[in-house]
Amino acid sequence: MDTTTTLAEVTGNIATIGYGLGTLGPGIGLGILIGKTVEGMARQPEVAGQLRTTMFIGVAFVELLALLGIVAGFLFS
């Protein structure tokens, strides 16, 4: 009988946990970005078009972070 004790054992790919945690940042970022844009549109409806354009550029950058997380997961696994 083995005298060593295993307290916890991690099986599977640990990268899935890392990517799961990595999606929290873009998720929170999108929530803040879209929420503040809607708030700005409600306060000043005359600049809604400009705010929408700026929001879409920001959404593209935030989504890029999530895609970089996927690519990094494939590269380093």
Side-chain angles (χ1 to χ4, degrees), residues 2-69:
D2 190 24
T3 59
T4 61
T5 304
T6 302
L7 296 177
E9 183 177 343
V10 177
T11 60
N13 191 355
I14 202 77
T16 56
I17 296 172
Y19 181 66
L21 292 174
T23 57
L24 290 176
I28 293 170
L30 282 174
I32 292 171
L33 178 68
I34 294 170
K36 292 295 183 177
T37 302
V38 171
E39 182 181 334
M41 287 179 184
R43 289 176 184 261
Q44 292 184 331
E46 64 273 3
V47 293
Q50 189 177 13
L51 286 173
R52 188 178 305 115
T53 303
T54 306
M55 180 195 71
F56 284 132
I57 293 170
V59 166
F61 284 130
V62 171
E63 287 297 325
L64 178 67
L65 290 174
L67 291 175
L68 282 174

